[in-house]
Amino acid sequence: LGLLYLCESNESVLSKLLRKNELVFEELFTAEPHVFISRDHPLAARARITLDELRPYPYLVFEQGDRNSFYFSEELLSMLDMPKTIQVRGRASLVIGLNGFTVSSGIIDQKLNSPSIIARPLDMDGSMRIGLIRKKNVVLSRYAVSYVAALKKHLSID
């Protein structure tokens, strides 16, 4: 059981990989893409942010490890060609210190993220389908069912 972001840029590849490995995707919700930036970022006052407005700032792509493909990147725009792209392990300090940004679902957990990080809608077409992956034809354990219920409660869905 795992959490997965599907977006237009990686959905076809991931769908094939899921089928090949007898996994299924169960959508929890759809999210509009958001930019994660510092509260002090020059674009923080904007209600929506465009890709052109982001071009002068470093785009932070979270490192997925040596064996993972960019198709598994949690960022919506992992293949985005931005002039300043930095691969990082921990983003918060770079988002704050360098006026960097990353793109994701817009869900910010204050326990896991710095209160200095905010999310602003990204003005672009497309959405993210966020859900669970699990083995095909396998019944979830009671722990997995509890996990899914807690996740839905935390995300205020269902």
Side-chain angles (χ1 to χ4, degrees):
L1 184 66
L3 195 59
L4 180 67
Y5 295 79
L6 281 180
C7 55
E8 292 169 4
S9 64
N10 68 9
E11 187 166 357
S12 64
V13 173
L14 285 175
S15 294
K16 288 177 188 175
L17 287 172
L18 292 174
R19 280 193 304 275
K20 179 182 175 186
N21 291 287
E22 296 187 4
L23 299 169
V24 293
F25 174 77
E26 294 179 8
E27 185 173 311
L28 293 173
F29 64 97
T30 301
E32 177 184 12
H34 281 69
V35 179
F36 284 26
I37 56 177
S38 164
R39 286 191 186 284
D40 299 325
H41 193 282
L43 300 174
R46 307 262 309 142
R48 295 183 72 77
I49 298 173
T50 68
L51 288 174
D52 283 340
E53 291 171 319
L54 292 169
R55 290 207 180 276
Y57 304 102
Y59 175 46
L60 309 176
V61 179
F62 192 67
E63 181 182 272
Q64 298 296 311
D66 294 337
R67 295 182 180 217
N68 290 334
S69 163
F70 68 89
Y71 294 115
F72 295 105
S73 176
E74 72 182 73
E75 291 85 9
L76 174 66
L77 303 172
S78 59
M79 296 169 26
L80 183 64
D81 183 25
M82 294 300 275
K84 299 176 184 178
T85 301
I86 302 172
Q87 190 175 53
V88 297
R89 289 193 176 149
R91 289 175 283 215
S93 61
L94 292 173
V95 167
I96 295 167
L98 295 178
N99 280 333
F101 73 95
T102 193
V103 179
S104 196
S105 65
I107 298 170
I108 296 180
D109 186 322
Q110 294 303 327
K111 292 180 183 174
L112 299 176
N113 294 292
S114 166
S116 299
I117 305 295
I118 60 173
R120 293 290 180 261
L122 180 59
D123 192 8
M124 66 170 288
D125 293 333
S127 62
M128 302 175 70
R129 294 174 51 215
I130 300 169
L132 303 171
I133 55 171
R134 64 172 179 78
K135 279 295 234 180
K136 190 176 188 176
N137 301 323
V138 172
V139 177
L140 296 180
S141 70
R142 67 179 186 185
Y143 300 110
V145 170
S146 294
Y147 169 75
V148 172
L151 184 61
K152 288 179 177 181
K153 181 180 178 185
H154 182 72
L155 297 174
S156 301
I157 57 177
D158 199 31

